[in-house]
């Protein structure tokens, strides 16, 4: 079944249907309609999957999608247009440009924590780039998966963008097929398997994985605001966010105040009983619930710690003085448990972060520019937000992706379009000026080589900063002179005319 | 501006780090390759490859290496591939010197933070992309241009601030030896070690963990490289090959077209990844094409290419046998002569070749030029699309519409109209394949970006907290309305700036007029 869906998608792609810009825009607008028309059903599915509140759905899934679609629709012509490049003396009369082309049939494997955003956002880019796309939503968010399977064919071309549902064996079958790009969102273990399967066909991959995103709090920072922002980012979707602040690093002297700050904020957000708050989510399934409870074993929660297995509810929990070797610190938590690890100073914090795998996100809370600069210069991560959490995800001009174990490739906005395109180098020459080319033909000698050297290395346009500043200054001065001249002319005209 | 510039900052060595532990415990069992990679990683972690001054210094040293050791390099290439000194300069070192110059000149620009377009929500924040080194890169070179394809990625790796383990191809053994002996005299030994060896040494290297692997070679090994990389989730750049088609329109000036094709094909004895692999043309011009190529071969290589110094040799016996066996079943129109003792194959053209011929089943990588006849551009496009996406596609035609049609209806790493190979020299064009011909790209800034991590940075302040209220629970419809507004409203800052400037000028002009008209 999977094989047939891929085959049909490839035939539809080869027929050329997905390439015209009008078609791509029309499909994207259709996708937009699906999201707007079916918002209620989507929200219901999410509530059943993960107890998502009715406001979190648009806030975290749908507004982002809308944004991506409207950006793609308005900029598609620009993105798909040929991009001219700098030439040298040898190619002075030629056209040299980069042409973005569709790759072919791409595979998008979604995740369960934001089943709509993480599955459809890549699809927006794939459609915009002119590809066919096989969409495989995560089976763990089963209501969303079956809703997507029912809805997508009603709004998008059924053959070009089929939805394939299923579990591990269906996914493995899909991965045996040949694609032109595989886009996977999930964990590193499966990420390796995806890349290995892709290697057999020499298929490029984008892997949006995870990791433990550290959150460093400087001791001289406004803790009230810092803790509020961290609390928001951590407990949204019950901690099941790939870029949630996984753990806190701070000096022992402020640890208690940090705990208090979080405690107060939790009260503000979810009330005294988060279980009854409509805005507080649940764990996706029993397996993850058990996994999280095991992480907590042996540690006493300073805040929260309550749970209810029947509802897969875990209260927003903070654990302080967590040792680096604790289980909580060995794997990505992906749940509402927030460990605080104390470090002696910023050096210690940087060491701690660098001893571990490169995370998907890094968070630094500080009002000291030097601290921020050091943190950024001496560590690495997929992305960084300073003095807030998660927000770099919302800006689609920033590329979103990991590095090292947290992933490879990036997307959002134009980056998705680029990721799903082939940037073909095009050089269109004419058959004239053959005398110029005689230097490269055998037999070779010293003079010929020298002439080629000269022709190849002279660049035509100087893009250096100095020239740019000079050009801008010259333009301003020239404009100023022009204005002055015009004014003088007006005045002299006025003087000669007696109507003044 | 926060100005996050990567500075020299030596990170204190951790007294008890995993690396030291593993080294002391299994020191005796560590392979040579493992040790080299460990040393490179430790050198990288001291932070010494990060400062721009250091990178520029190393690049300039590399430039000196190429200029000072020109003779050694040329001798090595001559022994490997029977190329003359001028050929080596033209095809290997000239490109390298150009790349180094561009990198040295532009490095500050490439490595600087790149500001991006802001949204209404982030209008007061600093938003930029910061290029960062990845860590330790593995560069596996190829034998056909042993210096160009091994050192060009190294230039990108150094420019991006990485450490790099260089593994030149053992097939071009003289060049590999010279590289191993001499490179360490010019570049930092620990950051940029050269590791020589064959299949087992390469496999041992591939078992180590890298932050990026850059491989140039064939698709079969490319798959193995990617599989090995997958085990560590290491991103890869694969510069592979394929059969690069060359379509000749019947209305084109055959004299010039054939000269360029002949040049592109027989350079380095056909052992170029972007050489025109085979010709597609209509039967009516086939004989003329053959004649023109014959004339050009005479012009370039005299009537006895074997004794002519600018005509190369096949790299080794294995490839010689492989290429000779491709002749099976095809009609030789020009050449076909060979001398096994010298690994010499004369410039050969095959005519009336069909899609099923042996010579059309694999990348030739030798001086055999098959001509396949097609009824027109439609059949040519179909023929090309039935096969794997090639590394390069060549079209010879005076008709721009036809060229645009070929571009629109086919895919390839690159496309050149009315010439061969030269896109390699336009450093602003990304060089790389698609599908079976590879993934990733390099040359100039593309190489720098490929071997960097482009980190998304958002620097906010802790004030204006009230603005965030709309995202915090408890959620209400009103808050959501505000969130929608801020997230969806796109602000065109450039237009605002232009309008503000215009308003300023108008005000200034009005003021001047007002003042002087009194």
């Amino acid at each position: 079944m999977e094989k047939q869906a891929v085959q049909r998608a490839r035939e539809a792609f080869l027929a050329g249907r997905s390439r015209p810009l009008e078609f791509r825009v029309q499909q994207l607008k259709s996708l937009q309609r699906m999201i707007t028309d079916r918002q209620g059903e989507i929200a219901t599915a999410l509530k059943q999957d993960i107890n998502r509140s009715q406001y979190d759905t648009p806030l975290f899934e749908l507004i982002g999608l809308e944004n991506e679609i409207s950006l793609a629709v308005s900029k598609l012509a620009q993105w798909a247009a040929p991009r001219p490049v700098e030439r040298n003396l040898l190619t002075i009369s030629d056209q040299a440009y980069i042409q973005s082309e569709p790759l072919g049939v791409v595979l998008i494997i979604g995740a369960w924590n934001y089943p709509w955003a993480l599955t459809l956002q890549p699809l927006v880019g794939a459609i915009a780039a002119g590809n066919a796309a096989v969409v495989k939503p995560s089976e763990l968010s089963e209501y969303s998966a079956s809703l997507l399977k029912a809805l997508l064919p009603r709004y998008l071309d059924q053959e070009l963008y089929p939805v394939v549902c299923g579990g591990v064996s269906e996914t493995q079958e899909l991965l045996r097929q040949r694609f032109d790009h595989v886009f996977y969102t999930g964990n590193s273990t499966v990420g390796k398997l995806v890349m290995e399967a892709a290697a057999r066909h020499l298929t490029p991959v984008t892997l949006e994985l995870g990791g433990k995103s550290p959150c460093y709090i400087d001791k001289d920072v406004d803790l009230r605001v810092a803790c509020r922002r961290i609390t928001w980012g951590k407990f949204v979707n019950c901690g099941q966010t790939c870029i949630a602040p996984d753990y806190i690093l701070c000096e022992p002297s402020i640890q208690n105040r940090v705990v208090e700050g979080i405690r107060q904020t939790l009260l503000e957000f979810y009330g005294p009983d988060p279980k009854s708050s409509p805005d507080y989510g649940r764990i996706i399934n029993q397996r993850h619930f058990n996994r999280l409870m095991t992480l907590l074993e042996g540690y006493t929660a300073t805040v929260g710690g309550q749970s209810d297995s029947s509802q897969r509810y875990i209260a927003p929990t903070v654990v302080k003085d967590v040792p680096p070797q604790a289980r909580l610190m060995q794997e990505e938590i992906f749940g509402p448990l927030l460990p605080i690890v104390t470090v002696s100073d910023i050096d210690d914090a940087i060491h701690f972060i660098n001893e571990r795998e490169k995370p998907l996100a890094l968070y630094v809370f500080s009002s000291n520019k030097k601290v921020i600069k050091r943190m950024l210069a001496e560590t690495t991560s997929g992305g960084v937000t300073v003095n807030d959490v998660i927000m770099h995800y919302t800006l689609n001009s920033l590329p979103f992706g990991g590095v090292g174990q947290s992933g490879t490739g990036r997307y959002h906005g134009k980056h998705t379009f680029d990721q799903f395109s082939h940037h073909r180098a095009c050089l269109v020459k004419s058959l004239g000026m053959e005398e110029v080319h005689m230097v490269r033909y055998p037999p070779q000698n010293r003079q010929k080589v020298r002439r080629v050297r000269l022709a190849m290395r002279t660049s035509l346009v100087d893009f250096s900063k100095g020239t740019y500043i000079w050009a801008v200054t010259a333009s301003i001065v020239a404009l100023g002179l022009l204005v002055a001249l015009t004014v003088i002319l007006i005045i002299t005209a006025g003087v000669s005319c007696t109507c003044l | 501006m926060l100005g996050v510039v990567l500075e020299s900052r030596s990170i204190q060595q951790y007294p008890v780090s995993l690396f030291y532990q593993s080294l002391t415990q299994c020191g005796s069992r560590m392979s040579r390759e493992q040790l080299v990679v460990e040393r490179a990683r430790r050198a990288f972690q001291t932070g010494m490859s990060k400062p721009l001054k250091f990178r520029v210094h190393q690049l300039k040293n590399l430039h000196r290496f190429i200029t000072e050791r020109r003779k050694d390099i040329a001798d090595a290439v001559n022994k490997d591939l029977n190329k003359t000194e001028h050929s080596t300069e033209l095809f290997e070192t000239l490109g390298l010197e150009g790349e180094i110059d561009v990198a040295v000149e532009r490095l500050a620009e490439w490595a600087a933070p790149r500001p991006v377009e802001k949204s209404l929500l982030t209008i007061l924040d600093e938003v930029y992309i910061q290029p960062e080194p990845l860590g330790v890169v593995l560069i596996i070179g190829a034998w056909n241009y042993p210096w160009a394809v091994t050192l060009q990625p190294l230039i990108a790796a150094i420019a991006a601030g990485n450490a790099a383990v260089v593994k030149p191809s053992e097939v071009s053994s003289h060049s590999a030896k010279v590289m191993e002996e001499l490179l360490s005299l010019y570049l930092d030994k620990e950051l940029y070690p050269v590791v020589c060896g064959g299949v087992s040494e390469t496999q041992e290297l591939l078992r180590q963990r890298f932050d990026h692997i850059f491989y140039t070679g064939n698709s079969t090994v490319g798959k193995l490289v990617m599989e090995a990389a997958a085990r560590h989730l290491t991103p890869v750049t694969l510069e592979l090959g394929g059969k690069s088609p060359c379509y000749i329109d019947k209305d084109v000036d055959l004299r010039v077209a054939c000269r360029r094709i002949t040049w592109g094909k027989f350079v380095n004895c056909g052992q170029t990844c972007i050489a025109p692999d085979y010709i597609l043309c209509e039967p009516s011009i086939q004989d003329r094409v053959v004649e023109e190529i014959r004339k050009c071969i005479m012009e370039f290589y005299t009537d006895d290419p074997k004794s002519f110094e600018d005509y190369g040799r096949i790299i080794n016996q294995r490839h010689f046998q492989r290429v000779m066996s491709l002749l099976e079943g095809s009609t030789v129109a020009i050449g076909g002569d060979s001398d096994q003792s010298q690994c010499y194959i004369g410039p050969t053209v095959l005519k009336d070749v069909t899609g099923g011929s042996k010579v059309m089943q694999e990348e030739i990588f030798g001086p055999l030029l098959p001509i396949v006849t097609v009824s027109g551009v439609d059949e040519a496009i179909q023929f090309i699309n039935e096969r794997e996406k090639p590394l390069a596609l060549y079209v010879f035609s005076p008709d721009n519409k036809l060229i645009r049609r070929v571009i629109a209806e086919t895919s390839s790493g690159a496309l050149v109209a009315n010439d061969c190979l030269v896109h390699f020299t336009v450093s602003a064009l990304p060089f790389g394949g698609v599908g079976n011909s590879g993934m990733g790209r390099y040359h100039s800034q593309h190489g720098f970006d490929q071997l960097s991590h482009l980190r998304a940075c958002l620097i906010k302040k802790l004030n204006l907290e009230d603005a965030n209220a709309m995202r915090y629970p408890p959620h209400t419809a009103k808050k959501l309305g505000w969130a929608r507004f801020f997230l969806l409203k796109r602000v065109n800052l450039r237009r605002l700036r232009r309008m503000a400037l215009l308003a300023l000028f108008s005000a200034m002009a009005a003021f001047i007029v007002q003042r002087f008209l009194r």
Side-chain angles (χ1 to χ4, degrees), chain B residues 403-425:
Chain B
I403 295 172
R404 270 201 297 269
R405 220 193 120 190
V406 174
I407 295 178
E409 296 181 30
T410 62
S411 185
S412 61
L415 182 137
V416 183
N418 295 323
D419 209 335
C420 291
L421 308 190
V422 288
H423 60 293
F424 189 91
T425 67

Side-chain angles (χ1 to χ4, degrees), chain B residues 52-95:
Chain B
L52 297 192
K53 277 210 202 79
F54 178 86
R55 305 183 208 181
V56 168
H57 179 70
Q58 293 293 309
L59 287 171
K60 287 188 166 158
N61 280 355
L62 189 60
H63 199 288
R64 261 193 318 119
F65 166 69
I66 295 169
T67 28
E68 284 174 15
R69 303 293 182 155
R70 205 186 288 282
K71 189 102 191 14
D72 296 289
I73 294 172
D75 281 343
V77 176
N78 187 282
K79 291 199 196 105
D80 283 323
L81 289 154
N82 200 56
K83 290 226 296 253
T84 62
E85 196 182 321
H86 300 302
S87 271
T88 299
E89 186 170 348
L90 193 61
F91 293 106
E92 299 237 37
T93 54
L94 199 59

Side-chain angles (χ1 to χ4, degrees), chain B residues 409-481:
Chain B
E409 296 181 30
T410 62
S411 185
S412 61
L415 182 137
V416 183
N418 295 323
D419 209 335
C420 291
L421 308 190
V422 288
H423 60 293
F424 189 91
T425 67
V426 183
S427 62
L429 281 174
F431 185 81
V434 64
N436 264 26
S437 52
M439 60 180 79
R441 69 274 196 89
Y442 71 128
H443 281 191
S444 187
Q445 192 177 353
H446 305 288
F448 176 90
D449 285 353
Q450 185 87 156
L451 298 180
S452 298
H453 170 50
L454 300 171
R455 190 186 198 184
C457 299
L458 172 60
I459 319 286
K460 296 175 74 78
K461 296 201 180 56
L462 282 164
N463 55 6
L464 298 180
E465 179 62 359
D466 302 323
N468 282 332
M470 59 186 165
R471 76 192 199 201
Y472 297 141
H475 294 306
T476 62
K478 185 171 176 196
K479 279 188 183 182
L480 186 64

